[in-house]
């Protein structure tokens, strides 16, 4: 028996409805997949943001380490120079040079410092470009105890390039000179020995003056020899 037209039409409607349902189901599954992919992408972005935060934290740690290395309350273990200092010397109140930096140490020496007294000095600092630092604008001259040096024997005071070392109690220690810029040191000198005594030994200063005069005589002899050779 052949199916009637009505029966055939009903079958076509049922098939069409089934096809539409399958397409709708496929569309829902596709949307779920897209949302899952978006979630994965968001998770990846969150991970990248976390890495960036971690990098920023590392940069902050590096900055803190740099500040700690050159902090005001703690000097470095050894000298350093971020400016390019050609000459760093100390002169007494007569204008005579008594101590100067030579590489990683000092030549010359400080005078003895009496307890309850002080010694006034002047620092002469020049850069490799020939510029003299007056410590009036960009830089500041400071003094501190050297790393691991005994503390308490001295008090320090600086004003521009003028230096005052006060005797607080007898003892021997090492001090360093710092060139301060903003909130950190750009230069630290080698350690220089300072001695605080109950009574200044005049022979100590006499020996120093004798050494200074001897150096001047040596320079005069050298100039005399040069003149002699030139005349010859």
């Amino acid at each position: 028996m052949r199916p009637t037209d009505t029966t055939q039409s009903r079958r076509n409607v049922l098939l069409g409805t089934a096809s539409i349902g399958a397409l709708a189901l496929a569309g829902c599954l596709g949307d779920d997949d897209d949302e899952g992919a978006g979630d994965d992408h968001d998770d990846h972005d969150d991970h990248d943001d976390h890495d960036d935060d971690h990098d920023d934290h590392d940069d902050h740690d590096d900055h803190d380490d740099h500040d700690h290395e050159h902090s005001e309350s703690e000097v470095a273990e050894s000298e350093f120079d971020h400016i390019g200092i050609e000459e760093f010397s100390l002169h007494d109140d007569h204008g005579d040079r008594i101590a100067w930096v030579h590489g990683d140490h000092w030549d010359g020496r400080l005078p003895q410092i009496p307890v309850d007294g002080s010694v006034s000095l002047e620092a002469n600092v020049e850069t490799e470009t020939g510029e003299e630092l007056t410590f009036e604008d960009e830089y500041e001259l400071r003094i501190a105890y050297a790393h691991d040096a005994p503390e308490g024997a001295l008090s320090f005071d600086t004003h521009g390039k003028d230096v005052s070392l006060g005797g607080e109690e007898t003892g021997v220690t090492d001090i360093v000179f710092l060139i301060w810029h903003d909130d950190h040191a750009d230069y630290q000198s080698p350690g220089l020995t300072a001695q605080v005594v109950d009574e200044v030994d005049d022979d100590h200063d006499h020996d120093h003056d004798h050494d200074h005069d001897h150096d001047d005589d040596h320079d005069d002899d050298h100039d005399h020899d040069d003149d002699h050779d030139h005349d010859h």
Side-chain angles (χ1 to χ4, degrees):
M1 177 182 295
R2 293 182 58 187
T4 64
D5 294 340
T6 301
T7 302
Q8 184 65 37
S9 299
R10 185 175 300 171
R11 289 179 178 176
N12 292 338
V13 170
L14 293 175
L15 290 174
T17 302
S19 299
I20 293 173
L23 292 175
L25 180 60
C28 291
L29 293 177
D31 291 340
D32 292 338
D33 292 340
D34 291 340
E35 290 178 2
D39 293 340
D40 292 342
H41 181 70
D42 292 340
D43 292 341
H44 180 69
D45 289 342
D46 292 340
H47 180 70
D48 289 342
D49 292 341
H50 177 73
D51 289 343
D52 291 340
D53 293 339
H54 183 70
D55 292 339
D56 292 341
H57 182 70
D58 289 343
D59 292 340
H60 181 70
D61 290 343
D62 292 341
H63 180 71
D64 288 345
D65 290 342
H66 176 75
D67 288 346
H68 178 71
E69 181 182 358
H70 305 312
S71 66
E72 181 176 1
S73 60
E74 181 181 348
V75 299
E77 294 185 10
S78 61
E79 69 279 354
F80 59 85
D81 183 1
H82 301 323
I83 301 175
I85 298 300
E86 180 68 23
E87 178 182 351
F88 195 114
S89 57
L90 299 174
H91 300 251
D92 62 17
D93 52 5
H94 299 295
D96 295 328
R97 186 176 71 160
I98 61 171
W100 56 97
V101 174
H102 184 194
D104 60 353
H105 64 278
W106 288 81
D107 284 344
R109 59 184 174 181
L110 290 175
Q112 291 179 333
I113 304 165
V115 172
D116 298 329
S118 63
V119 170
S120 297
L121 304 171
E122 182 179 277
N124 182 40
V125 184
E126 294 183 7
T127 67
E128 295 172 346
T129 61
E131 177 187 3
E132 179 182 358
L133 298 186
T134 57
F135 306 107
E136 295 176 352
D137 299 318
E138 184 177 3
Y139 295 106
E140 177 187 355
L141 181 64
R142 297 186 182 185
I143 309 173
Y145 288 103
H147 183 73
D148 288 340
E151 300 184 8
L154 290 169
S155 61
F156 316 120
D157 185 30
T158 61
H159 181 71
K161 60 181 182 178
D162 295 327
V163 175
S164 178
L165 302 177
E168 299 296 325
E169 59 185 42
T170 59
V172 178
T173 188
D174 289 330
I175 60 175
V176 294
F177 291 83
L178 305 167
I179 298 179
W180 210 261
H181 181 223
D182 291 336
D183 60 351
H184 61 276
D186 278 345
Y187 173 88
Q188 178 177 309
S189 75
L192 177 62
T193 300
Q195 182 181 17
V196 179
V197 296
D198 288 323
E199 185 176 351
V200 173
D201 184 2
D202 292 335
D203 291 338
H204 178 273
D205 293 335
H206 176 74
D207 291 341
H208 175 73
D209 292 338
H210 177 74
D211 292 341
H212 180 73
D213 293 339
H214 178 73
D215 290 340
D216 290 341
D217 292 342
H218 179 73
D219 291 339
D220 291 339
D221 292 340
H222 180 71
D223 293 338
H224 178 73
D225 291 340
D226 288 343
D227 292 339
H228 179 74
D229 293 339
H230 180 72
D231 293 338
H232 179 72

